[in-house]
Amino acid sequence: MPIAAAAIMGGASLLGGSMQSRAAERGAQASAQAQLEAARIAAEAAKFRPVGVTTRYGTSQFQFDPSGYLTGAGYTVSPELKAYQDRLQALTGGALTQAEMAGQQYAPLQQGAQGLFGLGQQYLQQSPQQVAAQYIQQQQDLLAPSRERQYAQLQNQLFQTGRGGLSVGATGLRPSGAGGLGATSPEMEAYYNALAQQDLQLASQAQQAGQQNVAFGAGLLGSGAGLMGQYQAGQVGALSPFTSYLGAGSTIESLGQQPLTLGSALGGRSAEAGAGVGRSLLLGGLGAAQTLQSAAGSDFGTALMNLGKSPEFGSGAAKGLSKLYNYATAPSFNDRYRSSAFDASNADPMDF
């Protein structure tokens, strides 16, 4: 290919590529700007925008900065609820003072419980057998004076009747080898039989006394535990008025918070809906930006690049230039006309 044709083809390709590059850069800038604008619109649509609400129980307030972002929130209860709160607050303070005095007021229960614990332990220190033996001994000590008087009276009666030395009813050894009954008067036999019956009854009562002693000691411990439970229940119960008043105040506060809760819920729903709209806007903007970027380019630059690559264009341009610059085949002019009409040293290539 002639040098001139190659130069023309290369120049056309370079010029077309430069124009194509500038067009692509402008398209990328426009695409980025479109994406940023779509993202800004989406973020604006998804902002949290709570709504101020007023009910019978209160009013909510929301504060925003100049950019539209939430910076603070609060609520104000109605004057009626505020009056209730003030009255409940006074009752709450008094109830707390009363609860603080409960320890002193219920102290006797605690002291009584401790006493019962100590007494119950004393009863439980002895076994039932020890208690039974002690019971028999105590009962016999109590009966001894009366038994002695009865014996003396019986002896005097026998002496007065002249039968003081009379003894009958003696028996020999028993088949088991035990001793038989001693001789005595009928009155003395009846007397000692009565004593034996009393001793048997005392033995039976002593066994019951041992069992009752253990049960009584355990009962004392249980009673002490009951008193201690009452002491603790009294302490807890003393807080009941305080917690009731405090709970009523909290209920009133919850009523006053309803406008804030409602406003926040409405703002959340609005933000959720706005987020959906923002996503749609963002996706649409991104699609539009991609379409804009893919379509960006210079048709004229592309044409020049394709034209520079065409062999026909190169050969035709070379022929034209050879005719233009080949003086042997070009039209002949005299030197004066040639110098005045065309001066190749001062010619602008763009004129061709």
Side-chain angles (χ1 to χ4, degrees), residues 31-32 34-39 278-294:
S31 175
Q35 293 180 32
L36 290 175
E37 182 63 18
R279 285 192 295 270
S280 299
L281 291 174
L282 181 58
L283 293 176
L286 291 176
Q290 292 174 357
T291 302
L292 176 63
Q293 188 173 8
S294 62

Side-chain angles (χ1 to χ4, degrees), residues 45-60:
K47 279 184 179 180
F48 177 61
R49 294 183 177 88
V51 181
V53 177
T54 299
T55 66
R56 179 179 180 181
Y57 304 113
T59 303
S60 61

